[in-house]
Amino acid sequence: MTNAGINTAPETKQVSVTTTAAPISDADEIVPLLSVLADPNNTDVVYIGSVGGQSFPLWAANSVLMLAVRPKDIWARANSGTQMLDVIYLRRAI
């Protein structure tokens, strides 16, 4: 069976992260695959996690892949200043 006519291309967005924790997306559905990449030009670490705490560090050019997650439940905060994350998510299984 093929996926004719179904867009399976990943969606991308760039997220600005400050020292105040916030969700990385407002997407409320569970996505099969989510990739979060710290921009290579970041000058400090970005921490990701949940609303209850962000403790997983992402240094510049580092990434993490997550399976079957709800993007609005992933929160991020910058250690200092404003840093950038590139969020790539696949909304439909390939």
Side-chain angles (χ1 to χ4, degrees):
M1 178 184 268
T2 65
N3 288 332
I6 297 176
N7 180 9
T8 57
E11 295 179 43
T12 63
K13 76 183 236 180
Q14 196 167 51
V15 178
S16 177
V17 180
T18 66
T19 56
T20 302
I24 63 169
S25 175
D26 59 359
D28 192 24
E29 76 277 7
I30 293 176
V31 296
L33 179 65
L34 179 75
S35 173
V36 179
L37 169 69
D39 191 276
N41 297 314
N42 282 353
T43 57
D44 209 341
V45 68
V46 174
Y47 292 95
I48 62 170
S50 67
V51 66
Q54 305 78 44
S55 59
F56 187 87
L58 281 179
W59 293 94
N62 283 200
S63 65
V64 63
L65 292 174
M66 296 174 238
L67 300 174
V69 296
R70 190 179 314 269
K72 78 170 195 165
D73 293 339
I74 307 300
W75 284 54
R77 67 178 168 82
N79 197 42
S80 67
T82 300
Q83 311 299 325
M84 300 302 291
L85 291 176
D86 296 311
V87 180
I88 304 167
Y89 47 101
L90 186 65
R91 291 186 183 268
R92 294 185 176 96
I94 295 177

